[in-house]
Every structure is written in structure tokens, then in C-alpha cells.
Amino acid sequence: VVTISDVARAAQVSKKTVSRVINNHPDVADTTRAHVQQVIDQLGYRPSMLARGLAQGKTNIVGVIIDETAQDVFSYPLYNETLRGIASVLDANDLDMLVRFSRDETSYVELYLQRRVDGLILLSMPLNDKRLEALLDSDAPCVLTQRVSEQDTPLAWVDADFESGGMAAAQHLIELGHRRIAFVISPTTKAYVHFLLRGYRTILDHHQIAIPDDFVVTSEPYVSVSEAVIAAMMQQPKPPTAFAVSDDMKAIQLIQLMQGLGHAVPGDVSVIGSDDALIARYASPPLTTIQQDAYHRGHLAAEVLVSQLNAGQSRQQHQELLPTQLIVRGSTGPVRSG
Amino acid sequence: VVTISDVARAAQVSKKTVSRVINNHPDVADTTRAHVQQVIDQLGYRPSMLARGLAQGKTNIVGVIIDETAQDVFSYPLYNETLRGIASVLDANDLDMLVRFSRDETSYVELYLQRRVDGLILLSMPLNDKRLEALLDSDAPCVLTQRVSEQDTPLAWVDADFESGGMAAAQHLIELGHRRIAFVISPTTKAYVHFLLRGYRTILDHHQIAIPDDFVVTSEPYVSVSEAVIAAMMQQPKPPTAFAVSDDMKAIQLIQLMQGLGHAVPGDVSVIGSDDALIARYASPPLTTIQQDAYHRGHLAAEVLVSQLNAGQSRQQHQELLPTQLIVRGSTGPVRSG
DNA sequence: TTGAAAGCGCTAACAG
DNA sequence: CTGTTAGCGCTTTCAA
């Protein structure tokens, strides 16, 4: 491999001059620069980022942590978009992206402490993650793409406002005449489902509509909706006329399950999702859902991190709630009269 | 930040001894090791991967290149699975993953030449990519997850056998009585669509079924299926009775388009996809498609790369074709009699 | 079993 | 405008 010393020797200049050339430092005579550049090209020299990183004390790499196990990532197609949003910003700032899917034993801060990355973006951390303490103890620049607690956390985050989304959705269902609304909420380890539920609750409370305990089905992360549970619920004397589901994939499963059980959607029962994943449009009936802009979320989070990195200052408190929007499609309709 | 020297000083030993401890080198007295370890814990010392990398001449990072623009990644959900497969292997080998989405100007080999990564895994490279030459000129350890040419390439790859898949699909359609089969093939920049088409052709040729030129619709990467083109095709005196589509997303779009045009699927026209993306199951009718195991593909590719890295030898010629399987669901049926 | 010294390839002061 | 001298934090000879 050819090093900066090789170039310096061949070009009869000092290493520092070569360094100046490759870093586009202005204080170099044009002729010198041209000459050095020529030698660089001829030798096929590439600066070692490893060495540069050591000398400068930074890696120019950002760690992106995705705390999901295999199936979960598949069922949650929005990570792609968030990653994309992040990538666009990092690209523009000549930063690279080190992606790590969750490894339980080790805390993700290690990535920073071991100087593998300059900062972290955490996608989809579970609620009240224990490893978070290590993060807070460190001075790692860091941005979350999702809140990790219903309380305030001294960390920067950019999150989608699913509480408002839930409110809009509840409003929509109420306007359609629904009064018996059930919930499929999962995974309860993620903060957003709680905000979502809270949004629904706020509106329902306001209309003095109670949510019976057995109308709230929760499940482990991304486990399928239980047919038995739903079937039982629908056989009650007063079954739900609408279901609010915490993600589109599950909402679509629920629709198919309903259809299998002989309940028309939205004729007998309305279903409303959350996310507006691509799949929502292709479901039949197309899914009414709460839209979020995952790309934008990633984009913003990355921008916040980059500004932290550039400022060099310790943690910033940037916290931002992105709007969500109710997208009404065919899976919700007026409650059947009678 | 606390360095190895700090530890050495505090523990009253040499740097080398500390180094031996953190690397679990056997030649250290137990008492010394215990003592050093204690100092390490107390000081909260973490070895700098940057410095270690420079000293050892390797990064322990693998570069993963995804040559897709924004929308494309979204419409091709299998990347998630491939990434997952890769991650599982890298994890097991204490390697990290640097992900880069395509940046046209720069060749991805740069990642290696600049010593940012020890090797590369290329997902979804376009056919006959010019940047490939630079790769071949280098000695970068590298594995493709998809062939980049219909000819043989002196690079390791792990690909899905869509040619056989196409053959199985053609066989299926013929058994259902279809003779007028049309194709929606996209993007033509990817090798797999050509293998797929070749598979169909082989079987159709064998049955002396011609494919009229205007029965093959190609389109730019991931552009939607053109309604006008399809409508025109269906108004011919002898319209196709079946469509073979090169990915599931497009197949589902086509189904919806057909339904909008008043053609029942599979009553009037059968549609067959490719990939077996999650969405295929949720389409209505559920999509008949050619299944591949994207996770396994990533897993294998990463294993090949890791063995290259460990061998330290120059490029290996591992080339492997993974089986595909026809999954028959509801979108294909017997040709309408009359 | 341990240590001293040299070096990985680059940048950062500070001179000149 | 250019070069010299030190490091960055670790690993690797080679001795002891």
C-alpha cells in the first residue's frame, strides 16, 4: 500500500505538504499542488481513514442502532425509510453509517467508547431500556428516533406524534358512529403504542366512551394477532364495531382474520392501522391508517446529530414531534345501523 | 479519555502487559492479569479500535453496498432480510457493518482502498456496472449477492436461481392451459430479471409457444406499471391470459390495475410474481410467486466473505446458486375456456 | 512472564 | 508557502 510518505518522497516534498494537498488546504502553491496531485494519481495513493481518524480523534462514522429481532424488522417496513433519511444527511456530510442490530449483552454505547463511531442514532429502542443508563453516563452524541419513556428524557429525539394521530383516528371513528372500539396494541415495549393509545383515550374519554378492559388486546412484540381472542371478542353480545391497531401489518392481518370469521370490513367492523406502510394501500380494502413520514424522521434525527458533532459541544436538547395525519381509505365505514 | 498508557502507569506494568490482558493473551501471570483487569475496570478503560486498527492494519468492519435509490429500496422489501442474514454472520465474527447506499460518483472500492473496511458485500449491483472494473483491479475481498452479468465474472457471488424459478412458473402456467403469456419485466438494469425471463423462455420455447414482442413490457427501475400500455394490450383481439411479473410489488399493482379495468384475477387473467415478499400473502387474491430465501442469501454471502478475510488470501471463486421455489396461491388459475 | 523501543499512516503545532 | 517535530493509542518485534 502506498502511504503519504511514499508520495512525499516521490514528489520531493514533506508529508505535511502532501497532507495539505489531499485536504484542499489553501496554503499551497498551485504548481506544488499540481505536482503533488500528479504524483498521487500516478501512485494511486489513498489516504488511510484509519490513520487520519487516529490523528484527528474521530472516525467520521455514525452508529445506527436498530433494536429489533429478525421478524420484527420485516414486519416493520418503515425502517428502510428512516435509514434512507439518515443516509441522505450523512452522505451530504461525508459521514458513514455503521449499522448494528441489537446485541443484547453489550450496550450500544460501547460503539462510541471504543471509538468506532463519533455518535449514535438509536432507532426503535424499547421502553425504559436499561442500557440507556450507560448512554446517559457517557458523553456520546446521540439522537433517538423514538422516545424511550413517557417521561421526559435528557436526550435529543425526533419522534412522530402518534398521540395526535390517535386523537384524529378516534374522532374519525366517532364521527362514523362507532362507540364500541377495541384495540390491538403491540408491542407494548415500544413507547409509541402508549402515546397512540393515550390519544385514542383522550378523545373517547371526552365523549364519555368507556374502553372495557377486555377490548384492549396487547401482545408480545410482533406476534400475530390471536384468532381465538378476536373470535371470542366478536361473539360477545355487544362486540366491537371498530378496531384500532398499532401497526399496519397487524391491521391487515386482523382484516383477513375478520373476513375469515365472516365479518365484512368495513361493513360489520371497521379497522384502522398506524404507519401508512406501503402495504396499506394494497390491502383490500385499502387500509385507513395514521400516516407518519419515516424518511423525514430519519433525516431530521441525522441533522440533529450532525449539528451536535459539528458543535463539538456536549449533548443538545433538541426534541421534536413530527405531525401525523389520518389517511382515510376503505377499511373504515359507518357503523352498521341496528 | 483513558488510554492504555494510563492503565499501564496506574497498574505499574508496561503497555504491552496491558495489551496482553485486553487481548486475552495466555502469557500473563494470573495475579498480574487480575491486577491489571482491576485497574482497567476502575478506570473504565476501553481500547480504541481506531488505534488498534491502525496498528493491525485492519478495521474489523465490512462494507455493505446497496445500489438503489430511495423508492427502489422501499419497493423491494427483501433487502431487510438480506441485511439481516449478513448481520447474523458478521455479529458472530465480531465484525461490524458499514452500510452505504449508492453514491454514483465514487466507486465503492474506495471504501476498501481508504481502509474504512476490510471487505465488501455488494447487494443488487446493476448489470455491467462500470465501477466494477475498479473493483477487479483492486484486491478487495468481495462477495456479490447477485450476479452482475450474464457472463461469468471472476468474483465470488451467491445468487438466487431465478432461471429455474422462471421455468417452474412457466410450467405452472402451461399446465393451467395458458398459451398467451405476457411479461412485465423491470428493472432491466438488474441481472436477475434476465435470468428469470430466460427461464420462462426456455419452457415456452420447448412447448413452441411464441412470445410476441409486444407481450414483453419493460420499464425503468421500479417505475409503476403503465396503465395505458396494459389497457391497450388487453384490448387486442387475442389478449394475454397470464402475466409474469419480475417482482411482487409490481405484480400486485398489476392485479389492482386489472381489477380496475374490469378483468377478474385469476378468472380472466392470471398473474404471477417473483420474490415472495411478505406482501404477496396479503394481496387479494394472494399472489402466486417465485420464492427465494433472501436471508439465507445474505447469510451465505457473509460467510464467504468472512472466510476470505480469515484466509487472508486473495479473492476466492466461490459462486453459489440458491434454489427458488414456486409458491402457488390464488392469483393464478386455469385459462378461461372459450 | 515481562518490558523497551519502534512503528502503523496521518495531522497538529510551530517554525522558518 | 513549506518543513520539522511530535504525537494519536495501539501492537509488534526482540530482548531480558
Side-chain angles (χ1 to χ4, degrees), chain A residues 166-286:
Chain A
M167 291 170 66
Q171 197 63 49
H172 171 64
L173 290 177
I174 286 173
E175 282 164 10
L176 290 170
H178 294 279
R179 292 296 177 272
R180 298 201 300 277
I181 300 173
F183 295 84
V184 177
I185 296 296
S186 153
T188 52
T189 51
K190 298 290 157 95
Y192 79 93
V193 304
H194 296 97
F195 287 107
L196 179 70
L197 193 52
R198 188 197 282 177
Y200 276 102
R201 282 216 141 98
T202 302
I203 296 300
L204 296 185
D205 280 358
H206 184 256
H207 288 262
Q208 300 175 352
I209 299 173
I211 307 176
D213 280 351
D214 59 344
F215 270 24
V216 180
V217 180
T218 59
S219 77
E220 290 307 294
Y222 297 94
V223 173
S224 298
V225 184
S226 155
E227 174 156 7
V229 171
I230 299 299
M233 203 185 291
M234 294 305 291
Q235 279 171 346
Q236 296 182 12
K238 287 183 172 286
T241 62
F243 278 80
V245 187
S246 59
D247 66 83
D248 286 352
M249 199 62 104
K250 277 224 169 46
I252 289 169
Q253 284 176 5
L254 182 66
I255 289 178
Q256 298 201 325
L257 207 156
M258 282 298 171
Q259 291 168 342
L261 254 32
H263 304 292
V265 177
D268 299 322
V269 41
S270 288
V271 174
I272 191 163
S274 173
D275 283 349
D276 196 30
L278 207 46
I279 193 175
R281 252 153 286 173
Y282 295 115
S284 78

Side-chain angles (χ1 to χ4, degrees), chain B residues 4 15-16 19 45 48 52:
Chain B
I4 199 172
K15 295 197 294 181
K16 180 62 209 174
S19 171
Y45 164 70
S48 157
R52 177 177 289 177

Side-chain angles (χ1 to χ4, degrees), chain B residues 144-205:
Chain B
L144 311 183
T145 257
Q146 183 169 303
R147 283 163 287 179
V148 286
S149 155
E150 293 193 69
Q151 278 78 52
D152 191 37
T153 321
L155 282 171
W157 50 254
V158 177
D159 201 355
D161 187 3
F162 277 114
E163 183 164 357
S164 298
M167 292 170 65
Q171 196 64 49
H172 171 64
L173 290 177
I174 286 173
E175 283 164 9
L176 290 171
H178 294 279
R179 293 296 176 271
R180 297 200 302 277
I181 300 172
F183 295 83
V184 176
I185 297 297
S186 153
T188 51
T189 50
K190 297 291 158 92
Y192 79 92
V193 304
H194 296 96
F195 287 108
L196 179 70
L197 192 52
R198 187 198 281 179
Y200 275 104
R201 284 215 139 99
T202 302
I203 298 299
L204 296 185
D205 281 358

Side-chain angles (χ1 to χ4, degrees), chain B:
Chain B
V1 243
V2 25
T3 73
I4 199 172
S5 303
D6 298 331
V7 176
R9 198 176 312 117
Q12 316 253 45
V13 296
S14 73
K15 295 197 294 181
K16 180 62 209 174
T17 301
V18 180
S19 171
R20 288 197 180 94
V21 170
I22 60 187
N23 290 296
N24 286 315
H25 195 94
D27 289 351
V28 183
D30 285 352
T31 62
T32 315
R33 156 162 295 135
H35 176 225
V36 171
Q37 187 59 53
Q38 183 193 323
V39 174
I40 286 176
D41 292 344
Q42 180 189 320
L43 262 45
Y45 164 70
R46 302 298 149 85
S48 157
M49 289 317 181
L50 225 38
R52 177 177 289 177
L54 181 57
Q56 292 186 148
K58 61 178 188 175
T59 61
N60 292 310
I61 299 178
V62 166
V64 176
I65 317 288
I66 304 180
D67 190 285
E68 296 287 351
T69 56
Q71 309 96 329
D72 307 359
V73 177
F74 305 156
S75 31
Y76 198 76
L78 298 183
Y79 287 127
N80 272 338
E81 303 188 38
T82 305
L83 279 180
R84 265 282 165 192
I86 293 171
S88 72
V89 173
L90 297 188
D91 253 34
N93 289 276
D94 258 305
L95 259 16
D96 269 303
M97 179 162 95
L98 191 62
V99 177
R100 230 192 228 183
F101 295 91
S102 123
R103 294 191 205 171
D104 301 302
E105 343 84 57
T106 341
S107 169
Y108 28 75
V109 215
E110 291 300 323
L111 267 183
Y112 173 77
L113 297 176
Q114 294 171 164
R115 345 243 99 231
R116 272 184 209 268
V117 302
D118 295 335
L120 295 167
I121 298 179
L122 308 188
L123 308 198
S124 123
M125 287 299 126
L127 213 48
N128 302 318
D129 189 330
K130 287 138 291 179
R131 296 166 296 178
L132 223 54
E133 289 172 26
L135 218 201
L136 290 167
D137 285 346
S138 79
D139 61 339
C142 172
V143 180
L144 311 183
T145 257
Q146 183 169 303
R147 283 163 287 179
V148 286
S149 155
E150 293 193 69
Q151 278 78 52
D152 191 37
T153 321
L155 282 171
W157 50 254
V158 177
D159 201 355
D161 187 3
F162 277 114
E163 183 164 357
S164 298
M167 292 170 65
Q171 196 64 49
H172 171 64
L173 290 177
I174 286 173
E175 283 164 9
L176 290 171
H178 294 279
R179 293 296 176 271
R180 297 200 302 277
I181 300 172
F183 295 83
V184 176
I185 297 297
S186 153
T188 51
T189 50
K190 297 291 158 92
Y192 79 92
V193 304
H194 296 96
F195 287 108
L196 179 70
L197 192 52
R198 187 198 281 179
Y200 275 104
R201 284 215 139 99
T202 302
I203 298 299
L204 296 185
D205 281 358
H206 184 257
H207 288 263
Q208 299 174 350
I209 299 174
I211 306 175
D213 279 351
D214 60 342
F215 270 25
V216 180
V217 180
T218 59
S219 77
E220 289 307 294
Y222 296 96
V223 172
S224 299
V225 184
S226 155
E227 175 155 8
V229 171
I230 300 297
M233 203 186 289
M234 295 304 291
Q235 278 171 347
Q236 296 183 11
K238 288 182 172 288
T241 62
F243 278 81
V245 187
S246 59
D247 67 82
D248 286 352
M249 201 61 107
K250 276 224 171 46
I252 289 168
Q253 283 176 6
L254 181 67
I255 288 177
Q256 299 202 324
L257 205 155
M258 283 297 170
Q259 292 168 341
L261 255 30
H263 304 291
V265 176
D268 299 322
V269 41
S270 288
V271 174
I272 191 162
S274 172
D275 283 349
D276 196 29
L278 207 48
I279 194 177
R281 253 153 287 174
Y282 295 116
S284 79
L287 190 66
T288 295
T289 188
I290 301 168
Q291 181 187 61
Q292 62 162 317
D293 187 342
Y295 178 90
H296 190 213
R297 189 132 67 106
H299 190 93
L300 244 44
E303 277 185 338
V304 172
L305 184 67
V306 167
S307 94
Q308 279 187 39
L309 293 179
N310 291 341
Q313 70 198 47
S314 56
R315 217 159 274 149
Q316 290 178 358
Q317 270 298 336
H318 190 112
Q319 307 188 324
E320 189 163 357
L321 220 39
L322 264 34
T324 55
Q325 197 189 344
L326 183 70
I327 306 290
V328 178
R329 298 203 181 89
S331 66
T332 46
V335 70
R336 163 165 265 154
S337 52

